[in-house]
Amino acid sequence: MIRAMRWRFDPLSLVWAVALFLVLVLLATVGARWGWLRSFFGDVLAVVWVYFVFRTVIGARVLPLALAALGVGLAVELGQYLAAAWQLHIPNRALRIVLGSTADWWDVLAYVIGFAAVLAIESLRDAVVRAARPQASAP
């Protein structure tokens, strides 16, 4: 049976979302001179961050939320491509930093890696939770 999405609040996911947001802010400011690490790793973390933001307020299975987070990243990339094709320019510097200004296939790869990282993290978390549960013993 497919479990429907529902509104809920998950404080642990909020903690992860805030922590990842702080890392992303550090990468965007202090890490501005770190080049490839800042841009590629930042895009990977962005998908993971969006996943935890969704997970904070939406109760659903991992795969739909991870796909939605990947979709957000891909939508941003599509927006960058269309803005370049139509010669549009975002005047706000902060928004340009957050959304980016040039479409790049490496960004798409980073988003897919972020999606895979979410699946791996959640799979590992589930394995740890299952291992911590007491096993029923036969009499």
Side-chain angles (χ1 to χ4, degrees), residues 111-132:
Y111 299 146
V112 171
I113 291 172
F115 168 76
V118 166
L119 296 180
I121 290 166
E122 291 295 351
S123 177
L124 181 61
R125 183 187 64 83
D126 286 346
V128 168
V129 168
R130 272 193 305 262

Side-chain angles (χ1 to χ4, degrees), residues 39-115:
S39 62
F40 191 81
F41 188 61
D43 288 343
V44 171
L45 285 182
V47 170
V48 178
W49 173 72
V50 170
Y51 168 78
F52 278 107
V53 169
F54 286 165
R55 189 179 154 119
T56 298
V57 295
I58 301 171
R61 293 184 184 268
V62 172
L63 186 59
L65 288 181
L67 284 171
L70 175 61
V72 168
L74 295 176
V76 167
E77 205 63 27
L78 177 63
Q80 291 172 356
Y81 174 78
L82 293 175
W86 294 336
Q87 298 178 349
L88 300 175
H89 178 73
I90 299 172
N92 184 308
R93 184 173 186 266
L95 193 56
R96 239 184 1 257
I97 290 171
V98 170
L99 294 178
S101 56
T102 55
D104 186 4
W105 285 107
W106 287 107
D107 293 347
V108 173
L109 176 63
Y111 299 146
V112 171
I113 291 172
F115 168 76

Side-chain angles (χ1 to χ4, degrees), residues 14-26:
L14 177 63
V15 168
W16 279 107
V18 169
L20 286 169
F21 179 75
L22 293 174
V23 170
L24 286 168
V25 168
L26 284 173

